[in-house]
Structures are given as structure tokens and as C-alpha cells.
Amino acid sequence: MNPIYAAQASRPRQPHLRRAGVTPTSTPSTPRVRHAHVNAVFGTSYGRLTLLCRGPGVISGMTIHAPLEKTVAPPDERATAPFEAAAPDAIRDSFPLLDHRTRSQAIPRRLAPFGHYLAFSDDGAEWLVPIEPRVTHIGRGLTADVRIEEQRVSRTHAILVRHGHRTRLLDNRSANGTFVNGRPIFATNITDGDVIRIGPVVARYLQVA
């Protein structure tokens, strides 16, 4: 047999390399990176780095976890839309729906000292209920800080969280939703004057300064 053909016949077949678009070689060489791809993981400082390395006649995949220099951050939230038409079932005169304990904490707007409040209307008058310095629970349950006696309000409907100069409103998996300025929300920052709807019950977030 011709020596050249004998050498080719003795060489092992490497179909996986041909499918990958790599020419087989038997010459030893230092492995080098042929392709790299990084998938950033939301909310963490680590990413997954996948490398396909070409070694002496072999392509191997290697996945490592490496810290990223910058964490991927969510885009800035859009400002809530201006308040448009109220929902057909919205209850604007909502102060009478508060339980006795919550109503006893309310004060007229003109007498309110500096602070953060939820304002509820009652026949043209506005009553302000102070919210807690850190976390305020809103709902129909007996343990709610602001308790609303309305069947369409969930027991643990929503949560107000104050952190520094910011106040954040979170829907707590309620049945009838939480809205800010007519827009349904899961979690959003709120500012002075925003109209909040807890199910059908309408209130306003106010900062008296």
C-alpha cells in the first residue's frame, strides 16, 4: 500500500470536529479560546461564562462562574400615568369604610403636622391617616395598620414601605389589584399627590411639609 494512503487510513476519524467546522489536526498546540459568551444574571454579581476551547484535535466546552465588574440593573421605572377616568366601581368617599381604630387616628387636613399620610375623603372633607415610619400594612385583616372594611379589599392587600426620602407601594398578591394614578402596579415608588386605589377604595398619598 502507498505509505501516504496508509497514514491517512490509520488516522482516527473525527466527525464531530467536521460538524463543528474545525479542521482535524494531530499537531499538538496550546489550547486557545475560539468563542466566548457571557450571560448576565439579573440581580446578582456573578455571570456564567461559556468557553469553547480548541485543543490538540479536540473541542471542549467549559463553563465557569465569575464575578462581573458591574451588576445588571433594571431600567428606570416609568412615571405613573396621570389619573384619568376612575374605575366604575371606585369608591371616592372611602373614609367611612375604615374601621374604628383607623378612623380614630385620622386628623383633618388643616391640623396635620409634618409627616406622611394616606388621605381619605368623606363628603368633601379630607381626613389624613398617618403611615408608619417604616412599613405600613393595608388591608381588611385584623392585623392591618390601615384597616378597610370592604369585601373587595384583601386581608393583606398592599404594603407601604418608607426608606429614606422614598416611599414604595407594593401589591401583596391581592385579588382585586392595587393601582396608582389609574395604572395597575406590582411595586412602584409613589410621590406626593399620587392617587392610590386599594381594590375599589380610593385614597391619596400626601406629604405634609
Side-chain angles (χ1 to χ4, degrees):
M1 180 182 290
N2 190 309
I4 296 178
Y5 296 126
Q8 291 179 348
S10 63
R11 183 178 300 171
R13 296 184 179 181
Q14 298 170 327
H16 59 288
L17 297 182
R18 294 190 178 89
R19 287 196 297 269
V22 178
T23 303
T25 178
S26 59
T27 304
S29 58
T30 303
R32 54 179 179 170
V33 174
R34 300 290 292 177
H35 174 71
H37 182 68
V38 177
N39 292 327
V41 180
F42 178 79
T44 181
S45 59
Y46 285 82
R48 189 176 64 188
L49 183 65
T50 302
L51 304 177
L52 293 181
C53 304
R54 178 184 177 186
V58 177
I59 289 183
S60 59
M62 178 177 63
T63 300
I64 61 173
H65 292 270
L68 302 176
E69 293 183 359
K70 294 183 179 180
T71 301
V72 179
D76 294 337
E77 296 185 28
R78 296 179 181 178
T80 54
F83 187 71
E84 299 175 352
D89 59 346
I91 303 173
R92 289 191 168 274
D93 283 341
S94 52
F95 182 72
L97 298 177
L98 302 178
D99 76 330
H100 175 74
R101 174 176 53 83
T102 305
R103 279 188 279 119
S104 66
Q105 301 173 6
I107 52 180
R109 170 72 181 268
R110 67 181 184 278
L111 301 178
F114 296 161
H116 300 250
Y117 299 89
L118 286 178
F120 296 87
S121 297
D122 181 19
D123 195 20
E126 200 169 41
W127 293 85
L128 274 56
V129 176
I131 63 176
E132 299 294 327
R134 292 184 179 273
V135 178
T136 300
H137 295 268
I138 306 170
R140 184 168 46 88
L142 295 175
T143 59
D145 300 307
V146 177
R147 184 166 181 252
I148 304 172
E149 295 179 322
E150 219 290 335
Q151 288 300 314
R152 288 167 290 180
V153 174
S154 300
R155 288 182 175 83
T156 56
H157 196 108
I159 302 173
L160 274 172
V161 180
R162 288 175 54 193
H163 181 70
H165 298 290
R166 295 185 178 182
T167 303
R168 193 163 182 83
L169 177 64
L170 301 91
D171 180 80
N172 195 20
R173 299 181 295 179
S174 65
N176 292 302
T178 303
F179 303 80
V180 174
N181 296 334
R183 183 169 64 91
I185 62 99
F186 291 106
T188 188
N189 292 336
I190 58 175
T191 57
D192 181 40
D194 280 344
V195 177
I196 298 170
R197 183 154 57 86
I198 308 298
V201 178
V202 176
R204 280 203 307 148
Y205 172 68
L206 292 180
Q207 295 180 8
V208 178

